[in-house]
Amino acid sequence: MELRLYNTLSRQKEEFTPINDVVRIYSCGPTVYSYAHIGNFRAYVFMDTLRRVLKYNGYNLKHAMNITDVGHLESDADEGEDKIAKAAKKENKNPYEIAEYYTNIFLKDFDKLNIDRPEIICKATDHIKEMIEYVSDIVKNGYGYETSRGIYFDISKLDKYPVLSDRKVDEQIAGARVEVDKEKRNPEDFALWIKAPKNHIMKWESPWGLSYPGWHIECSAMSSKYLGEQFDIHTGGIDHIPTHHENEIAQSKGRCGKIPAKYWMHCNFLTVDGGKMSKSLGNIYTLDNLKEKGIEPLAYKLFCFSSHYRNKLNFTFEGAIASNTSLMRLKEGYQKHLNGTDEVEQSLIEEFEDKFHKAINDYLNMPIAMSVVWDVIRYNKKSKDLAKLLLKFDEVLGLKIDEKVQNSLEIPEEVTKLIEERKVARENKDWKLSDELRDRIKEKGYIIKDSKEGMQIEKA
Ligand code: AMP
Ligand code: ZN
């Protein structure tokens, strides 16, 4: 079945045809200076869905995602402090500790969302040599020049800039609040490599003295190292279009004359009250914040499927709580089919499968795909064949629909303590105390049920 993807480069849906038999993808990964929020994770849920849809269509993948642990300045356009260095100062830690700490938490959250891990996860600081080589090639080809601040890319050498976005370079400059750097040949020239001030911690020897990479060069260096000069798909959030991805394209043209990816795919924002969820605006929630309210990470993933990835999605707790209930219904619905004994026609299964496949192949239309899933769940006959079909759909959803319904009750601290005490009493075979504790827990509004599968707790 034809797979169509929306390509930001052509501004239209296009049939997907891979360059060769393994689909090569590059995704811009997190800047690990703080906890990733659920807005960031919307972009990675989208990336996961893309991977899963490609696999569903029978493709093998080679996918690289970077971890930005140096070089991402406060503004995407080379202004301000390095985000990791700033966090290190604030937390009084070494920048490598900061990066490692937040990378580990990011990857744990990644797994909680059952995001299919890219084949390659690569750190910027492990690729300094490749970046220096990349910058040197750009300079050798006449697209880069040195100033007292660093090595800059000369955009006037390009046939066209920008190519991904419609923005007018002059408009951007007129509206910008940045100080004009008189050494730059063109106001839009951007930093490839930055000379480090004396007190800068993360810096490396280079042909241009002690210095550190610009943010854009890391993605160019790592994507070309792992995927070659030209690969199939590049993903990121829409905030990457005007600067980061534009500059990655410029760098690649300056080095080898090619646009690095054939298809550019961008996920729209998760918003709060209509505005972007972002660390700088201070309106963020993490997966842990959701869990505190009894919302499972996978329920958040299901929430993401309520809107097409190219549309904005507004986050509300009511919406996420509703998704939590929906996830439980989905799992219960799967179990009902699994235990069902009805027969269903093969043609019905094929019809459902065809509709689902068409939806995901129409540039990952997950809201439509989910409506097919719900049609199967609600189908009046309960059949093992439909359970099998749901499991097949779950290869794309990654919602673990065959896992037991999680107990996502918010249990107060005092009740948790009583539960722990009761566990100890039972280990000591003190049944009298165990029963007393059960009654006290009941007085607090919670019922304990002991079964072969272990203890379960419910609201009274
Ligand atoms: P960062 O760690 O800031 O480099 O961002 C990591 C990823 O999250 C990038 O792909 C961003 O485009 C994406 N992102 C950041 N904020 C949001 C948001 N509110 N909604 C969707 N994606 C976002
Ligand atoms: Zn990137």
Side-chain angles (χ1 to χ4, degrees):
M1 190 184 289
E2 186 186 79
L3 170 60
R4 290 172 74 75
L5 300 178
Y6 184 89
N7 190 351
T8 309
L9 195 59
S10 64
R11 295 163 181 77
Q12 60 189 7
K13 285 195 236 174
E14 288 176 27
E15 183 183 349
F16 175 69
T17 46
I19 299 169
N20 56 37
D21 48 354
V22 175
V23 177
R24 286 164 295 156
I25 313 168
Y26 186 84
S27 296
C28 289
T31 308
V32 282
Y33 68 105
S34 179
Y35 298 102
H37 55 77
I38 55 171
N40 300 131
F41 281 115
R42 183 180 188 207
Y44 301 112
V45 166
F46 148 70
M47 180 193 91
D48 174 62
T49 308
L50 173 66
R51 277 184 65 83
R52 290 169 178 274
V53 167
L54 287 162
K55 282 185 174 179
Y56 195 90
N57 281 279
Y59 292 114
N60 291 318
L61 311 181
K62 186 174 183 192
H63 181 185
M65 181 186 79
N66 68 302
I67 301 282
T68 299
D69 56 356
V70 68
H72 194 168
L73 304 192
E74 286 168 281
S75 122
D76 286 0
D78 313 327
E79 293 299 323
E81 237 184 301
D82 182 308
K83 291 185 183 189
I84 309 266
K86 191 175 171 193
K89 262 192 235 159
K90 196 170 144 212
E91 296 190 30
N92 204 14
K93 285 190 181 139
N94 150 335
Y96 292 95
E97 279 173 336
I98 290 283
E100 196 186 342
Y101 177 77
Y102 289 113
T103 302
N104 289 339
I105 294 179
F106 173 82
L107 291 174
K108 276 191 192 144
D109 282 354
F110 212 72
D111 293 343
K112 285 182 199 162
L113 286 163
N114 194 22
I115 293 175
D116 197 27
R117 283 209 187 184
E119 285 67 29
I120 300 153
I121 297 184
C122 40
K123 281 198 301 192
T125 50
D126 288 340
H127 297 81
I128 299 294
K129 183 175 129 285
E130 287 83 353
M131 291 186 225
I132 292 176
E133 281 168 13
Y134 206 113
V135 176
S136 303
D137 285 348
I138 291 175
V139 175
K140 223 182 299 153
N141 292 344
Y143 287 82
Y145 61 94
E146 187 169 356
T147 76
S148 62
R149 289 181 75 185
I151 309 301
Y152 280 81
F153 191 96
D154 183 348
I155 61 148
S156 68
K157 295 277 159 51
L158 295 167
D159 53 340
K160 194 167 180 278
Y161 181 93
V163 294
L164 265 188
S165 56
D166 291 327
R167 78 179 159 86
K168 301 270 180 297
V169 168
D170 296 346
E171 274 171 21
Q172 162 102 1
I173 296 307
R177 279 170 292 140
V178 293
E179 230 176 275
V180 180
D181 177 350
K182 296 209 176 68
E183 286 182 76
K184 287 207 298 193
R185 292 182 188 163
N186 312 284
E188 280 268 306
D189 288 355
F190 57 90
L192 297 164
W193 203 259
I194 305 162
K195 294 180 183 171
K198 269 213 173 65
N199 57 355
H200 200 89
I201 311 172
M202 295 176 110
K203 55 191 170 194
W204 292 265
E205 278 299 346
S206 80
W208 314 283
L210 277 176
S211 42
Y212 63 98
W215 174 37
H216 321 303
I217 203 70
E218 65 169 90
C219 289
S220 291
M222 287 188 269
S223 64
S224 67
K225 172 172 175 171
Y226 294 107
L227 308 173
E229 284 175 352
Q230 266 190 317
F231 49 93
D232 295 285
I233 306 173
H234 197 311
T235 79
I238 53 165
D239 49 341
H240 287 162
I241 300 174
T243 308
H244 185 50
H245 288 173
E246 203 62 78
N247 292 349
E248 273 187 52
I249 291 177
Q251 290 167 161
S252 175
K253 281 182 162 180
R255 189 197 198 198
C256 66
K258 293 175 189 159
I259 292 184
K262 201 169 156 191
Y263 305 87
W264 293 76
M265 297 179 68
H266 296 97
C267 177
N268 208 329
F269 291 139
L270 182 76
T271 58
V272 184
D273 300 327
K276 181 189 175 192
M277 178 177 288
S278 78
K279 284 166 199 155
S280 53
L281 293 176
N283 59 358
I284 61 164
Y285 299 110
T286 61
L287 285 181
D288 280 353
N289 296 146
L290 266 51
K291 185 83 187 174
E292 285 156 19
K293 304 239 183 233
I295 301 160
E296 292 298 320
L298 290 177
Y300 173 66
K301 190 178 205 183
L302 179 59
F303 176 78
C304 290
F305 297 156
S306 62
S307 167
H308 191 278
Y309 78 87
R310 292 199 67 240
N311 295 332
K312 280 188 184 147
L313 172 61
N314 198 48
F315 177 78
T316 59
F317 275 104
E318 292 74 32
I321 288 167
S323 293
N324 208 57
T325 310
S326 299
L327 182 62
M328 282 194 240
R329 300 255 151 82
L330 208 56
K331 290 179 172 189
E332 284 160 7
Y334 167 76
Q335 290 295 335
K336 279 187 193 154
H337 279 303
L338 193 64
N339 299 324
T341 51
D342 294 336
E343 295 283 323
V344 291
E345 299 277 325
Q346 185 57 27
S347 60
L348 178 89
I349 294 182
E350 280 166 13
E351 198 185 310
F352 279 136
E353 190 169 0
D354 192 57
K355 277 191 190 159
F356 180 85
H357 202 162
K358 273 200 182 115
I360 58 170
N361 276 19
D362 184 21
Y363 75 130
L364 321 184
N365 198 331
M366 295 312 285
I368 301 280
M370 280 314 300
S371 72
V372 182
V373 173
W374 286 112
D375 286 345
V376 177
I377 291 281
R378 293 192 192 110
Y379 196 67
N380 55 354
K381 288 188 180 167
K382 300 298 166 196
S383 141
K384 288 189 176 39
D385 288 339
L386 290 177
K388 208 165 136 200
L389 180 67
L390 286 167
L391 264 194
K392 187 165 182 200
F393 292 168
D394 201 39
E395 287 168 21
V396 173
L397 311 176
L399 291 172
K400 300 189 177 178
I401 59 164
D402 55 336
E403 274 194 1
K404 279 238 148 85
V405 173
Q406 290 273 324
N407 188 346
S408 54
L409 268 186
E410 222 187 319
I411 303 170
E413 186 72 31
E414 49 176 355
V415 177
T416 313
K417 254 178 92 192
L418 292 174
I419 293 171
E420 289 307 320
E421 281 175 36
R422 186 170 175 271
K423 271 192 206 151
V424 176
R426 288 173 72 79
E427 268 162 31
N428 295 335
K429 301 204 180 344
D430 188 344
W431 309 120
K432 190 166 164 279
L433 179 60
S434 163
D435 287 348
E436 271 171 34
L437 287 163
R438 179 206 295 265
D439 293 343
R440 282 174 62 194
I441 290 167
K442 196 171 172 194
E443 279 164 23
K444 307 255 175 235
Y446 293 85
I447 294 176
I448 284 196
K449 287 185 180 162
D450 297 303
S451 71
K452 268 192 286 172
E453 281 85 34
M455 189 206 78
Q456 288 215 334
I457 179 147
E458 288 172 6
K459 268 229 144 94

